[in-house]
Amino acid sequence: MRKFLLFLSLLFIFVTSCDPDRNHSANKQKDVLVPVYTSNTSGIKTISAVAARPTVNAGKIYVLGNLIYQVEEDSGIHVINYSNPTAPQKLGFIRSFLCKELAVKNGLIYTNNFSDLVVIDATNINNVREIARTASVFPDLALQYPSKPHRFTTVYFECPDPEKGIIIGWELKHDMQVKCWR
């Protein structure tokens, strides 16, 4: 019984000591991510093909034949020809705001654009076009928060305000009062 109580005591100490900043005091000054807003919803909902660009925030991939479709987190999809695996070529980029997922079938790309499900005809990478849209299929994507670099990392940010528009990015500000964290 003593060993069991000792074990529980040690476990309690270990669990409560994992987060060095568990109080998250709202009065503390910290580096805080501040949302950048837009009210231009038509610009956000525009699907378009643009020139290939460097990968910055790589996401999931989908392979079909000699093509790789790679999500660029929150901004779109890279289209890459890897018929020569030692020298893959980026063919273009498809803009889709807040893109997180994709699937491809019969030349059609199924992905998200903000919180909507969109179907994109990508048979001609230089002339992609949206052929279907279903609004608000992914409502959780409308609730935007900054991403966490690691599961055990605390991210401090200014609480989003939907009245100000849609969040299109985050800026780091120094020595601000903490209001939200995750």
Side-chain angles (χ1 to χ4, degrees):
M1 184 64 169
R2 276 189 183 176
K3 288 182 181 179
F4 180 72
L5 289 175
L6 179 63
F7 172 74
L8 284 179
S9 299
L10 290 174
L11 181 64
F12 176 77
I13 291 169
F14 175 76
V15 169
T16 59
S17 66
C18 288
D19 186 359
D21 192 18
R22 64 184 167 274
N23 296 329
H24 299 293
S25 172
N27 297 328
K28 291 183 181 179
Q29 299 291 313
K30 298 212 175 266
D31 290 347
V32 175
L33 292 169
V34 176
V36 177
Y37 295 97
T38 186
S39 57
N40 180 6
T41 56
S42 64
I44 287 172
K45 292 190 174 191
T46 300
I47 304 293
S48 61
V50 296
R53 64 183 218 184
T55 303
V56 176
N57 194 12
K60 298 177 179 182
I61 63 170
Y62 194 97
V63 178
L64 186 64
N66 288 331
L67 294 178
I68 295 175
Y69 299 89
Q70 179 184 30
V71 170
E72 177 75 29
E73 288 285 331
D74 296 334
S75 60
I77 301 166
H78 297 280
V79 181
I80 306 162
N81 180 339
Y82 81 107
S83 56
N84 179 356
T86 60
Q89 283 187 304
K90 287 191 175 181
L91 301 176
F93 185 77
I94 302 169
R95 287 190 184 176
S96 180
F97 182 70
L98 277 186
C99 180
K100 302 275 188 209
E101 301 283 341
L102 80 141
V104 183
K105 186 174 182 180
N106 299 328
L108 301 177
I109 297 174
Y110 299 80
T111 189
N112 69 291
N113 176 244
F114 190 55
S115 61
D116 300 346
L117 172 64
V118 292
V119 181
I120 303 167
D121 180 352
T123 51
N124 178 353
I125 187 60
N126 297 316
N127 187 24
V128 299
R129 61 187 178 87
E130 176 184 322
I131 59 170
R133 176 180 294 265
T134 306
S136 300
V137 172
F138 309 102
D140 290 347
L141 292 180
L143 304 172
Q144 298 170 278
Y145 299 101
S147 60
K148 293 176 70 166
H150 187 271
R151 188 170 110 176
F152 299 111
T153 303
T154 301
V155 176
Y156 301 98
F157 57 98
E158 184 179 283
C159 303
D161 182 358
E163 298 289 318
K164 293 182 178 179
I166 297 169
I167 298 172
I168 58 170
W170 296 86
E171 289 181 344
L172 184 64
K173 300 277 178 134
H174 302 288
D175 298 321
M176 288 186 61
Q177 196 171 33
V178 174
K179 294 181 182 166
C180 291
W181 61 87
R182 60 179 277 207

